[in-house]
């Protein structure tokens, strides 16, 4: 019995037992029902494919001593391996164990790694808390530890982005080791933690560095050691060595980020203040968390954590350091620019909130140690904050008395009652145990609240293990068109997720196949190719998915070398692609084009960039068919193929004459008939692909009052039309006042949604094509455009006038200029494609190299569809960025022997810097040992 009590007093053993109980409550239903922890959006689209691919790379490295090629043709149109995967797997030490797992068990490894990360996060906090507050009783450490692990951030990240949990492990150790250096002058552990911080992920390293900087400034303020230059030098050296060691991974990653499609964006998406609904929900985020966190404010702290913050603010002078942090966080949550700066000077994402969990829960330990000091005013403020948070949740749940947030409000009240009881009966161990139990229940509710439907197959956001294994094994069936040389048989593989598709625009599952799928969905994308796609006005292109589906444009898909397209039944088929009835993979039909371009070719015409720039998107696409666009030329040629574009004649009213371009205006109104434009009969459109070109796009969102009036007008209009129909029964329920009241009640939480985007949809030949204008509330895909070109598909019924309906997803005022043009996709294009194919030199491929020999009679520009990167070189030749995004190689008259070589930018320098850091670290360690002796 004595031994049992001794073990029970072991805080780490107690934590482990309680963690198993909470983890079981959260995760056992998933294992019982065969539901994975893989989100149907980024989980299956990015994280899981990256892990499966990383397993293959690690095994080749460990068992065969084969390093991965620096340039990978299978990543979209081609991309750098290290720069792409450093964000996901290379720096995450918790993925390294996958090398010793069979492919059939990678899914189990992924699931278990989520739980392991959470467990280690708790251990990290528990260890650091005992160092900072060594005399804290065990009963106060346990609720703080679980409140640190399970809050709104982990409730979202654990299921959506597992490696986002790593900072919860690292950050406490980083702050503790920094404090240890400042107090004891011991630098080694701090150097190691800095190295791990930077190796793990450059994105979170930036945020944690700012958190450590704030701690250091607070330490200097508290100790008045501003001019302790010896201490500053010691810290600078330790930080410098810790920064040098991971440079082999960090430097190439930073270079890629600075030159990526997501760089150079407007700070905080241009927001000065957040939308009104954000502020309505902010108090409620203290005690609960919303399913989709607005601007990544995940919130959802335990009730005791909220009490601790209020208590600290009420006792300002005693906890001044904590309070300045809480005030800074409070102000930061109100300003989009603050979130944008901490998000790498980009969109206003509040992911940095994971760091606040450390001071909040350290403060909780202090709070629980001073319960006897609580006064009536403290309890009054606890209650006031609880009421404000409850009112916020009430508004955000449309004033529903059956709100899903009711348990969180009840747990807040119960926690308050237990604190009062424990204050007046401090020696009752049962009350302490009950308080711990309530905290565990509280954090379990926070973690599970938004995932209660995950074990329901009809509504789950997570994929079943069966579906994932089927998808995983199904990638083997996608085969390259040319098995002898698969590196340059590009394909397009349609969405494979069916009705489980989440917010991710695509999936990277095809990287596990033997094909080179052009669509690539990663956080770091090639900026040059993104520029090209933006100028071609590809509707689905975004900084995370720059190629998208190329809008299924026939010319562009062929120019980029897409030989085969694996399509779902609802997908638009470009004209050059003919169905291969004998090939069907994962319920997708293969379509093959004989017009696809080679990777390297000699275009007929050379067009100056200054002449190319003013062209419309369709003219630019047509120009790429037979020309190469070269910057810096004073004058160039013009594309013969682009001159064959046909302009359609359109009108909005059949009583008026048509024109090739018109100004279109739409304002939300009640109507049974669709709005749109008429395309007049034109035989010249035969054999063309129709493009709807929209320019000078303007949108003014409807205000809350206008939306209310629009909804009421639509309700009244529908009732009037129904009353005129003699065959319909009278609407006894008609009540405009009740409708207005109900609409207002259910939409009050949408005040401010005018910052959100909208969708514009056109219908042609019974096929919808749409463009989504992302709003300022969008964090990853914010990409405002005032012009877009939509592929309507192959022209049909061109002998008759056709109506093309236009629909708009959000209330407001829309205006734009519009025209419809036809770009040839029949034999006229096939002749151009055949001519290009005949110019292609034979290629040889080596690791990170492309070799060829070509003879020309006069100096020419050799065109490629290899994405432009400074990592490419060609045996002394100056490479040119052609066509806005690809590599061009100037050729001299006569024979040209070309060796195109790729090396990851910054890798060599990064390697030398890492070696320097290792040497300096070793010297410092040796000097430390000598000094100790």
């Amino acid at each position: 019995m004595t031994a049992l009590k001794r073990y029970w007093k072991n805080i780490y053993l107690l934590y482990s037992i309680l963690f198993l109980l909470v983890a079981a409550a959260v995760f056992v239903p998933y294992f019982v029902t065969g539901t994975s922890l893989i989100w149907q959006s980024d989980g299956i689209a990015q994280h899981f494919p990256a892990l499966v691919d990383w397993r293959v790379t690690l095994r080749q490295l460990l068992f065969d001593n084969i390093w991965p090629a620096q340039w990978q043709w299978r990543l979209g149109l081609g991309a750098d391996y290290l720069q792409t995967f450093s964000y996901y797997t290379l720096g995450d030490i918790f993925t390294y164990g996958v090398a010793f797992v069979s492919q059939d068990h990678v899914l189990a490894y992924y699931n278990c790694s989520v739980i392991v990360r959470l467990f280690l996060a708790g251990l990290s906090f528990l260890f650091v808390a005992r160092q900072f507050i060594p005399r804290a009783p065990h009963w106060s450490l346990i609720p703080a530890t679980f409140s640190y692990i399970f809050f709104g951030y982990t409730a979202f990240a654990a299921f959506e982005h597992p490696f986002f949990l790593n900072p919860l492990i690292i950050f406490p150790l980083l702050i503790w080791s920094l404090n240890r250096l400042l107090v004891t002058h011991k630098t080694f552990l701090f150097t190691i933690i800095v190295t791990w911080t930077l190796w793990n992920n450059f994105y979170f390293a930036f945020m944690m560095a700012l958190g450590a900087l704030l701690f250091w400034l607070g330490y200097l303020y508290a100790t008045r050691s501003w001019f302790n230059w010896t201490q500053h030098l010691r810290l600078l050296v330790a930080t410098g060595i810790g920064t040098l060691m991971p440079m082999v991974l960090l430097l190439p990653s930073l270079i890629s980020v600075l030159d990526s499609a997501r760089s150079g964006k407007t700070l905080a998406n241009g927001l000065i203040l957040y939308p009104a609904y954000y502020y309505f929900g902010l108090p409620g985020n203290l005690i609960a968390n919303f399913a989709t966190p607005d601007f990544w404010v995940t919130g959802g702290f335990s009730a005791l954590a909220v009490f601790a913050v209020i208590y600290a603010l009420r006792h300002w002078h005693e906890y001044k350091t904590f309070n300045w942090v809480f005030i800074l966080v409070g102000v930061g949550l109100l300003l989009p620019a603050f979130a944008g700066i901490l998000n790498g000077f980009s969109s206003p994402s509040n992911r940095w909130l994971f760091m606040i969990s450390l001071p909040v829960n350290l403060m909780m330990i202090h709070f629980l140690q001073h319960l006897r000091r609580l006064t009536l005013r403290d309890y009054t403020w606890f209650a006031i904050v609880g009421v404000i948070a409850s009112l916020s949740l009430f508004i955000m749940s449309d004033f529903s008395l059956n709100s899903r947030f009711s348990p969180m409000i009840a747990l807040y009240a119960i926690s308050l009652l237990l604190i009062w009881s424990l204050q007046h009966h401090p020696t009752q161990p049962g009350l302490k145990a009950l308080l711990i139990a309530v905290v565990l229940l509280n954090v379990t509710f926070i973690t599970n609240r938004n995932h209660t439907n995950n074990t329901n197959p009809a509504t789950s956001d997570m994929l079943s293990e069966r579906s994932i294994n089927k998808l995983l094994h199904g990638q083997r069936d996608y085969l390259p068109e040319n098995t002898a040389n698969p590196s340059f048989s590009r394909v397009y593989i349609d969405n494979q997720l069916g009705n489980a598709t989440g917010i991710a625009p695509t999936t990277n599952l095809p990287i596990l196949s033997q094909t080179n799928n052009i669509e690539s969905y990663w956080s770091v994308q090639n900026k040059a190719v993104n520029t090209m796609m933006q100028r071609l006005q590809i509707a689905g292109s975004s900084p995370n998915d720059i190629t998208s589906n190329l809008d299924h444009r026939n010319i562009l898909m062929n120019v980029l070398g897409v030989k085969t397209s694996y399509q779902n039944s609802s997908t638009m088929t470009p004209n050059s692609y003919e169905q291969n009835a004998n090939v069907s993979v994962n319920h997708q039909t293969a379509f093959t084009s004989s017009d696809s371009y080679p990777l390297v070719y000699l275009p007929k015409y050379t067009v100056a960039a200054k002449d190319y720039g003013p062209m419309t998107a369709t003219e630019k696409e047509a120009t790429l068919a037979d020309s190469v666009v070269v910057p810096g030329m004073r004058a160039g040629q013009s594309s013969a193929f682009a001159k064959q574009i046909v302009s359609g004649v359109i009108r909005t009213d059949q009583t008026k004459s048509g024109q090739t371009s018109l100004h279109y205006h739409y304002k939300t109104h009640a109507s049974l008939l669709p709005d749109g434009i008429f395309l007049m009969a034109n035989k010249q459109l035969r054999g063309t692909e129709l493009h709807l070109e929209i320019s000078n796009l303007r949108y003014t969102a409807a205000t809350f009052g206008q939306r209310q009036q629009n909804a009421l007008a639509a309700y009244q209009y529908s009732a009037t039309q129904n009353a005129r129909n003699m065959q319909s029964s009278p609407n006894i329920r008609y009540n405009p006042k009740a409708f207005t009241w109900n609409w207002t009640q259910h939409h009050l939480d949408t005040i401010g949604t005018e910052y959100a985007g909208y969708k514009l949809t056109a219908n042609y030949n019974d096929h919808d094509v749409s463009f989504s204008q992302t709003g300022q509330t969008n964090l990853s895909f914010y990409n405002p455009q005032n012009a877009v070109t939509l592929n309507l598909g192959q022209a049909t019924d061109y002998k008759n006038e056709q109506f093309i309906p236009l629909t708009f997803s959000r209330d407001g005022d829309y205006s734009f200029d519009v025209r419809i043009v036809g770009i040839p996709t029949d034999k006229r294009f096939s002749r151009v494609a055949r001519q290009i194919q005949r110019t292609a030199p034979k290629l040889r491929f080596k690791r990170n190299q492309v070799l060829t020999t070509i003879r020309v009679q006069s100096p020419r520009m050799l065109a490629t569809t290899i994405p432009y990167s400074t990592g490419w070189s060609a045996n002394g030749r100056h490479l040119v960025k052609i066509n806005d995004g690809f590599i061009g190689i100037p050729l001299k008259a006569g024979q040209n022997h070309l060796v195109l070589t790729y090396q990851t930018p910054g890798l060599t320098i990064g390697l030398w810097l890492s070696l320097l850091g290792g040497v300096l670290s070793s010297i410092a360690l040796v000097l430390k040992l000598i000094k100790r002796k």
Side-chain angles (χ1 to χ4, degrees), residues 180 186-189 923-933:
R180 183 173 183 267
K186 296 180 179 179
T187 61
F188 183 73
L189 285 178
I923 293 174
L925 183 60
V926 170
L927 292 176
K928 179 181 178 181
L929 293 175
I930 293 174
K931 183 179 179 181
R932 180 177 297 177
K933 289 183 178 180

Side-chain angles (χ1 to χ4, degrees), residues 536-582:
L536 292 176
Q537 298 177 4
I538 302 299
S541 178
S542 73
N544 278 37
D545 181 25
I546 55 176
T547 54
S548 184
N549 54 20
L550 296 180
D551 199 24
H552 303 291
R553 297 191 197 175
N554 187 79
I555 307 300
L556 188 56
M557 289 187 72
N558 279 288
V559 168
L560 294 181
V562 179
K563 181 70 173 176
T564 305
S565 175
Y566 293 93
Q567 296 181 184
N568 298 324
S569 58
S570 60
T571 300
M572 180 190 300
T573 304
N575 191 56
S576 295
Y577 292 81
E578 299 180 358
Q579 181 175 347
N580 189 338
N582 298 322

Side-chain angles (χ1 to χ4, degrees), residues 59 203 668 766 769 805 816 844 927:
R59 292 179 68 86
Y203 173 69
T668 306
D766 294 327
V769 293
F816 49 84
R844 289 188 299 123
L927 292 176

Side-chain angles (χ1 to χ4, degrees), residues 681-694:
N682 187 348
K683 293 183 180 180
Q684 291 184 333
L685 294 176
R686 179 182 180 182
T688 67
E689 178 181 274
L690 299 184
H691 289 180
L692 181 72
E693 295 185 340
I694 295 174

